[in-house]
Amino acid sequence: MPAIYLSCLSQPSRLNKERAWHWHFDPRMHSRAPFLVAFLLISAPFCLSAATDTCQVNRNNNANTIIVDQSGKGDFVKVQEAVDSVRSGNDQWTRIHVNPGIYKEHVEIPMGKPCILLEGSGLSQTIITGDGHAQTNSSATFTVSSNNFVAKRIAFENSYNRGAAVDSITEWEPAVAASVYGDKMAFHECAFLGFQDTLWDVQGRHYFNSCHIEGAVDFIWGSGQSVFEDCAINVTAGLLPKGVLAGFITAQGRQSATDPSGFVFIRGTVSGIGEAFLGRAYGPFSRVIYHGTTLEAVVAPAGWNAWKYQDHVKNFVYVEVDCGGPGADKSKRVPWETKSLSYSELQAFSRERFIDQDGWIGNQLA
């Protein structure tokens, strides 16, 4: 019952990452993970009442709207000020509309402030940006920990090391653009821009629709239970320091056979510069599926990397189904890649059955 225990603790698994000087170096710490999982399961009965599962609209069947505008023509000039104005325990959909501009700030939506719709004016027009780096638990430009959250047409950027070649491994550090902790979260036409660890998909059920996600190393990572539909994945591994052979698109952290987490890519594209693996294992039961995705030549021929879980390859669920493009050639894939799924097995990873069993996506304010 992931929706119960994942919504109970505000920041249950913010494990720092160590510096990743080379593509095969271990940049994360796992020692606290078993304790955290046990704690979450034990704690679930005591905090179930704290979760907000539904959000209401006002009498006009609309959301209350707060305007953020840098020129002072709105209610607030900073995004965080608008978030702070939402009352704790909010159960009414509240729209925070952010007018065009580059907002240089770190924004956090804490647990206890659900039912927020954060809306920009276009992912190339409204950008929240920062340059925090070194520690994943403190570098994120944008963090959302509460349930029932929607973002539309807005970009989240960590500008550290983004857009230019990294000359030295001593200048290469984790830099998170967005950390996503809550359950029932949807991102529509959003951008996540960074270099390493761009999107920390920590936990909970998440839906990414027509998003742009960019990075070089582990730039979609964590233990979320997420569907990426019609998303453009832009690899920038060609900017890695000399001697770093390849990047990694995903680092999924499923911990057991009963862990519901996994990353499912439906349609969309994988393109960019350099070379990157479709994923490397961030847990002994790591699970990533590409279905109907166009894979360009940027995909490494081997496809997948076991990282430090070489003894667990039989547990991985790494699948490519009906993919096309030059990167979809599987003749040189690792021998332990999951070869196929039956129709019924594949259906279990549809949006409706994998994350939307209770219809929460359709119930959110569009």
Side-chain angles (χ1 to χ4, degrees):
M1 300 175 67
I4 296 177
Y5 66 80
L6 293 178
S7 64
C8 291
L9 199 60
S10 59
Q11 296 175 355
S13 57
R14 292 192 174 185
L15 306 184
N16 293 348
K17 289 179 64 182
E18 297 171 350
R19 299 187 179 201
W21 302 134
H22 203 272
W23 69 276
H24 58 67
F25 191 80
D26 179 354
R28 300 184 179 87
M29 298 164 60
H30 292 272
S31 59
R32 290 169 54 193
F35 165 78
L36 288 164
V37 171
F39 176 80
L40 288 167
L41 291 170
I42 293 170
S43 302
F46 301 100
C47 57
L48 181 59
S49 61
T52 298
D53 292 325
T54 59
C55 301
Q56 307 300 319
V57 293
N58 61 26
R59 287 180 295 178
N60 296 322
N61 200 36
N62 204 345
N64 299 316
T65 299
I66 301 169
I67 303 296
V68 180
D69 185 280
Q70 289 180 322
S71 67
K73 296 180 181 179
D75 300 298
F76 299 98
V77 298
K78 292 180 178 287
V79 180
Q80 187 63 57
E81 292 173 345
V83 171
D84 292 343
S85 74
V86 178
R87 67 177 180 85
S88 296
N90 174 52
D91 62 357
Q92 302 284 323
W93 275 114
T94 300
R95 176 185 282 107
I96 299 176
H97 180 84
V98 187
N99 283 342
I102 298 174
Y103 294 79
K104 296 181 179 180
E105 55 177 307
H106 290 264
V107 177
E108 181 169 0
I109 300 177
M111 187 177 181
K113 290 195 176 186
C115 308
I116 289 177
L117 165 59
L118 182 64
E119 178 184 73
S121 300
L123 56 83
S124 64
Q125 297 184 57
T126 305
I127 301 170
I128 302 174
T129 185
D131 64 354
H133 52 278
Q135 292 186 329
T136 53
N137 69 336
S138 60
S139 68
T141 300
F142 177 76
T143 300
V144 55
S145 300
S146 201
N147 299 332
N148 277 300
F149 171 81
V150 177
K152 297 176 66 177
R153 299 187 296 276
I154 194 166
F156 308 101
E157 179 192 46
N158 193 311
S159 62
Y160 183 78
N161 277 344
R162 179 174 179 259
V166 179
D167 294 328
S168 169
I169 58 176
T170 61
E171 299 174 356
W172 173 23
E173 296 180 295
V176 179
S179 297
V180 181
Y181 286 85
D183 189 39
K184 299 182 181 179
M185 293 189 180
F187 297 84
H188 302 274
E189 299 177 49
C190 293
F192 302 87
L193 309 171
F195 189 69
Q196 178 172 334
D197 302 336
T198 304
L199 173 57
W200 188 1
D201 190 3
V202 185
Q203 60 178 25
R205 291 171 294 171
H206 308 142
Y207 177 51
F208 298 87
N209 174 38
S210 301
C211 292
H212 176 97
I213 309 172
E214 176 186 298
V217 177
D218 299 350
F219 59 97
I220 304 172
W221 67 287
S223 299
Q225 183 177 348
S226 300
V227 168
F228 301 81
E229 196 167 64
D230 296 314
C231 291
I233 310 303
N234 183 39
V235 176
T236 59
L239 302 178
L240 288 165
K242 292 181 179 180
V244 181
L245 302 180
F248 301 91
I249 296 170
T250 66
Q252 203 283 324
R254 188 165 174 251
Q255 295 296 313
S256 71
T258 57
D259 183 340
S261 71
F263 297 159
V264 180
F265 297 84
I266 300 175
R267 298 183 299 276
T269 60
V270 174
S271 60
I273 58 173
E275 185 174 272
F277 290 85
L278 293 169
R280 65 169 166 178
Y282 182 33
F285 287 79
S286 186
R287 180 162 63 181
V288 181
I289 295 168
Y290 292 84
H291 182 197
T293 306
T294 300
L295 306 177
E296 299 296 345
V298 71
V299 175
W304 308 90
N305 186 285
W307 199 28
K308 67 177 186 177
Y309 294 98
Q310 297 286 344
D311 295 336
H312 298 271
V313 295
K314 66 180 184 301
N315 299 326
F316 300 158
V317 180
Y318 287 157
V319 185
E320 303 166 61
V321 180
D322 297 332
C323 294
D329 180 0
K330 296 197 286 185
S331 63
K332 297 182 180 179
R333 290 293 194 259
V334 291
W336 39 263
E337 179 188 38
T338 306
K339 298 306 179 186
S340 63
L341 293 176
S342 67
Y343 176 79
S344 61
E345 288 172 329
L346 186 60
Q347 286 299 107
F349 297 104
S350 66
R351 180 185 68 190
E352 293 78 11
R353 293 182 59 183
F354 190 57
I355 61 170
D356 194 31
Q357 305 92 330
D358 50 356
W360 63 268
I361 295 175
N363 290 331
Q364 288 187 329
L365 193 68

